[in-house]
């Protein structure tokens, strides 16, 4: 088995590097959530949190994107001005907050920012509005 792996690495270095990259990204995805303390929620989990714990949904897309469609009762604070508008979220500090964007990448950054500002119950909508 080991000999075949070494042979594969020698014959296909690009494929091996791609495999290694995918493995590293998967591991980072799994442990990154635990390290940052930010939970990625599937849409079903987010719905339960909204319905049972009165979670606030913050959409960090640009206003033009938000106006094209958004989660009902969400508020729009674009990611690029989130730091300046942090005061708008202070009254929700003790409620669960679900951050959403189109695919989940902007919202992940916004979650990290909120955690740094002391918000404890911060969640990322995994897959964003595409998954929703």
């Amino acid at each position: 088995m080991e000999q075949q792996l070494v042979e594969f690495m020698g014959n296909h270095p690009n494929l091996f590097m791609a495999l290694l990259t995918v493995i590293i990204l998967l591991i980072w995805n799994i442990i990154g959530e635990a390290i940052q303390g930010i939970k990625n929620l599937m849409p079903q989990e987010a719905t339960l949190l909204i319905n049972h714990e009165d979670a606030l949904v913050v959409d960090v897309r640009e206003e033009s994107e938000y106006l094209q469609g958004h989660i009902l009762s969400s508020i729009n604070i674009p990611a690029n001005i989130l730091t300046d508008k942090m005061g708008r979220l202070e009254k929700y500090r003790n409620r669960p907050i679900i951050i959403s964007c189109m695919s989940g990448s902007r919202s992940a950054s916004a979650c990290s920012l909120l955690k740094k500002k002391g918000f404890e119950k911060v969640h990322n909508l995994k897959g964003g509005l595409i998954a929703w």
Side-chain angles (χ1 to χ4, degrees):
M1 175 79 174
E2 291 175 28
Q3 185 179 5
Q4 290 174 332
L5 181 61
V6 172
E7 184 179 339
F8 177 79
M9 289 172 22
N11 291 337
H12 308 285
N14 291 339
L15 283 176
F16 180 73
M17 289 305 293
L19 174 65
L20 192 59
T21 302
V22 168
I23 290 171
I24 290 170
L25 290 174
L26 285 172
I27 292 170
W28 177 252
N29 190 27
I30 292 167
I31 65 168
E33 183 179 308
I35 291 171
Q36 295 176 339
I38 298 167
K39 182 167 185 199
N40 288 309
L41 299 177
M42 297 301 292
Q44 303 87 331
E45 295 170 302
T47 301
L48 288 173
L49 201 59
I50 293 165
N51 291 338
H52 296 289
E53 295 186 39
D54 198 26
L56 171 71
V57 179
V58 178
D59 192 319
V60 294
R61 297 176 299 151
E62 294 300 319
E63 184 178 7
S64 60
E65 294 174 282
Y66 181 80
L67 292 174
Q68 291 176 3
H70 56 271
I71 297 171
L72 189 64
S73 300
S74 64
I75 63 171
N76 179 231
I77 304 175
N80 61 342
I81 61 169
L82 184 58
T83 303
D84 299 334
K85 301 290 183 179
M86 197 65 67
R88 191 172 166 197
L89 298 175
E90 278 302 319
K91 61 185 171 187
Y92 304 109
R93 184 174 282 279
N94 296 320
R95 283 173 55 185
I97 299 175
I98 301 168
I99 309 295
S100 69
C101 66
M102 184 59 77
S103 65
S105 58
R106 284 181 280 182
S107 57
S109 299
C111 285
S112 295
L113 177 63
L114 286 174
K115 285 297 262 188
K116 287 178 188 171
K117 297 293 184 177
F119 288 82
E120 293 298 320
K121 301 175 184 177
V122 179
H123 308 279
N124 183 36
L125 180 60
K126 188 174 185 172
L129 261 72
I130 293 172
W132 185 265

